[in-house]
Amino acid sequence: MDCCICSPMATVYRLPRNAICAPCYEGAKAIIGFLSKDEQEDDHGSVNSRVSRKLNGSTKGMRDAWEQVKEMRDREDDTNQRAAFLEQGFALAWKEEIHTDIVVQPGTGPPIPAHKAILAARSEVFRHMLSGDSQFKAAAGESFSLPELSHDELSLLLSFFYTGVLQQKVPERHLHALLVAADKYDVPFLRRACEARLAAAVEPRNVLRTLEVADLSSSEVLRERAMDTVLEHAEQVVFSPEYEGFAVRNAGLCVEITRALLDKQVSTTSAKAPCIQDHV
């Protein structure tokens, strides 16, 4: 029987002969369940909301789900408009140097003007640096230096502070520097953006450098992704020209790689052993 929802013939709703296929049924259940869970989280578990859901739960269907989806879409559009409004304003103030009150000096290249308020709002570490906290050894003033970043890397960092967007086609070495900076200056949002971009690009040719950066920035997500790639392409990685230099610089990581390879070998051997015994 044709499905009354997804079938090409589903043009007329005719009771009681309507039938629904398994994919549409499961999809409808999943959508309603997801939206009900979202509604519960929005209501914060209040007594009135629980009673209301208990009374009206039996009447909720795909029409209610569609109304909720439209409301979610409207909220998303509103959020995007507000984000664009804020982003454009902050970005314009930075690009045109409107009332900038501090200059940030990179390790190489010319300094870049910025706003103390933005730096302090984006990073607790910068807030202390700009307030002259002696613990961070950087007194407040009209300029301060980030010597570990090049001019291009500093520009990317400040651009992210003002827009919340990590630019497309950022060179891998710049992503490495930004991830380390995000860890050092405590910028979790930038950290997650860099981790996602780098994790998606891990392959045998760059896995050793990625593993180094993951270790330097204490990124467990990136570290796990890199280790999986090393194990999957062990021969190609271990016998590559870069591995010898990597081993000299990172004895601890080499120990981890060796142990992981041995664990994998033991697991593979153990998995094959019962099959051999059964065959005998």
Side-chain angles (χ1 to χ4, degrees):
M1 184 177 294
D2 290 333
C3 175
C4 66
I5 295 178
C6 66
S7 169
M9 302 297 293
T11 57
V12 181
Y13 185 71
R14 297 174 297 178
L15 290 171
R17 294 184 298 167
N18 297 285
I20 182 172
C21 65
C24 288
Y25 173 74
E26 293 298 332
K29 282 182 60 179
I31 291 172
I32 294 173
F34 171 78
L35 292 174
S36 297
K37 181 180 178 181
D38 182 67
E39 185 181 61
Q40 291 174 13
E41 292 175 352
D42 287 344
D43 290 335
H44 302 292
S46 64
V47 175
N48 291 336
S49 64
R50 288 198 298 269
V51 172
S52 176
R53 284 195 302 274
K54 185 175 181 180
L55 292 175
N56 298 328
S58 60
T59 64
K60 288 186 179 294
M62 286 303 295
R63 177 176 295 179
D64 301 273
W66 171 239
E67 292 299 327
Q68 286 184 268
V69 168
K70 288 194 292 184
E71 290 179 8
M72 292 171 65
R73 185 175 59 187
D74 291 340
R75 290 200 301 268
E76 181 182 8
D77 290 341
D78 181 62
T79 300
N80 290 337
Q81 290 176 10
R82 283 184 289 162
F85 172 75
L86 294 173
E87 176 188 333
Q88 291 169 4
F90 289 142
L92 181 66
W94 177 54
K95 290 179 180 178
E96 297 192 2
E97 301 182 16
I98 301 174
H99 301 305
T100 54
D101 53 5
I102 195 168
V103 172
V104 187
Q105 177 68 56
T108 58
I112 302 177
H115 299 83
K116 293 179 184 178
I118 296 296
L119 299 179
R122 300 306 188 206
S123 165
E124 189 73 22
V125 177
F126 283 151
R127 183 180 303 177
H128 286 291
M129 291 173 65
L130 295 171
S131 66
D133 192 328
S134 59
Q135 177 184 354
F136 293 88
K137 300 180 181 180
E142 298 304 317
S143 67
F144 73 99
S145 177
L146 299 180
E148 69 274 19
L149 298 177
S150 68
H151 179 271
D152 290 342
E153 291 162 354
L154 176 59
S155 180
L156 288 169
L157 176 66
L158 293 176
S159 175
F160 188 86
F161 280 3
Y162 282 87
T163 66
V165 177
L166 186 60
Q167 296 179 14
Q168 296 296 325
K169 297 182 180 180
V170 176
E172 190 174 77
R173 66 182 186 279
H174 291 345
L175 287 174
H176 292 164
L178 289 175
L179 177 58
V180 174
D183 176 64
K184 180 177 180 179
Y185 299 113
D186 192 18
V187 189
F189 190 35
L190 175 59
R191 179 190 183 91
R192 291 193 295 271
C194 291
E195 285 176 337
R197 191 79 63 86
L198 288 169
V202 174
E203 53 188 42
R205 68 166 182 83
N206 63 9
V207 67
L208 294 177
R209 178 56 184 155
T210 301
L211 189 56
E212 283 186 286
V213 172
D215 185 61
L216 184 61
S217 61
S218 303
S219 173
E220 291 301 323
V221 173
L222 195 57
R223 185 192 192 95
E224 182 178 346
R225 178 71 180 88
M227 286 297 294
D228 288 344
T229 302
V230 170
L231 296 180
E232 184 179 354
H233 304 276
E235 185 173 349
Q236 181 180 351
V237 172
V238 173
F239 289 98
S240 65
E242 297 83 7
Y243 191 78
E244 184 174 344
F246 171 85
V248 172
R249 297 189 304 270
N250 304 278
L253 289 177
C254 283
V255 171
E256 290 187 33
I257 291 174
T258 302
R259 289 174 176 171
L261 289 172
L262 289 174
D263 287 342
K264 180 181 179 181
Q265 184 178 8
V266 170
S267 299
T268 303
T269 304
S270 300
K272 291 181 178 179
C275 297
I276 296 175
Q277 293 176 358
D278 293 342
H279 180 71
V280 174

